[in-house]
Amino acid sequence: ESEFDNKFRWKKISMIFQGAMNSLDPVFTINEQFIEILTQHNFDGDFTQVIQDAIKAVKLDTLVLKKYPHELSGGMKQRVAIAIATSMEPRIIVADEPTSALDVVVQRNVMQTLGRLQEGLHASIILIGHDMGLVAQFSDHVGVMYAGRLVEVGPVKTVFKSPKHPYTRLLIKSLPTLSNKTD
């Protein structure tokens, strides 16, 4: 690991990956995965307390710590990934489509959990995603990328009310509404 990794990753900036099932190691318990992250990044506090607090913060029972990833639902895995990502109280959290493999009810629950943690940590979240409805609900500012370039940036209300770039207009137009419902 580089000096950058030890100094910043998980402590100042952390990542919540798309599809938590791929970011959790199937051969280790959830508790062992927390310990691995904390050990790798020279955490010097009370491991047990930090781990339990992180799990409780995402509204999971501490019994989850004894389980393996395959024993958890998709929403529980995603909340474990959020707990791990926030356990060292980072200032910036990058969330790469954190709800893409989840049903709508679980998506909302996960995003509310993330929002609550963001406020508690006074952290910034960079939400990466294609779901403009989710972006509209949970973001303050939006940046739209097209062909690898940032083509539009602004407050969510401004961009949604008056999109400037054709791709932004298409993304917003693709949102389902009751008026464009077909029978």
Side-chain angles (χ1 to χ4, degrees), residues 94-131:
V94 179
D96 182 8
E97 299 212 29
T99 62
S100 65
L102 306 172
D103 69 52
V104 179
V105 174
V106 178
Q107 279 184 359
R108 184 164 185 76
N109 189 334
V110 166
M111 289 306 297
Q112 287 172 337
T113 298
L114 199 50
R116 205 173 14 79
L117 290 171
Q118 173 191 18
E119 284 180 21
L121 294 171
H122 304 291
S124 295
I125 294 180
I126 299 171
L127 176 62
I128 301 168
H130 296 90
D131 184 338

Side-chain angles (χ1 to χ4, degrees), residues 27-92:
V27 298
F28 294 106
T29 65
I30 301 305
N31 193 61
E32 291 168 327
Q33 294 186 57
F34 267 102
I35 290 170
E36 177 70 17
I37 292 290
L38 295 173
T39 302
Q40 278 184 2
H41 295 89
N42 304 316
F43 180 75
D44 60 357
D46 181 350
F47 278 45
T48 303
Q49 190 63 54
V50 166
I51 294 168
Q52 287 183 355
D53 288 349
I55 283 295
K56 288 176 186 172
V58 296
K59 300 200 177 193
L60 288 174
D61 191 296
T62 54
L63 293 174
V64 164
L65 295 169
K66 296 178 181 177
K67 297 187 182 285
Y68 291 87
H70 73 273
E71 297 178 290
L72 306 177
S73 70
M76 291 172 82
K77 287 180 205 173
Q78 196 61 15
R79 287 190 282 157
V80 165
I82 291 169
I84 290 171
T86 58
S87 63
M88 295 185 74
E89 301 182 355
R91 294 283 140 256
I92 299 171

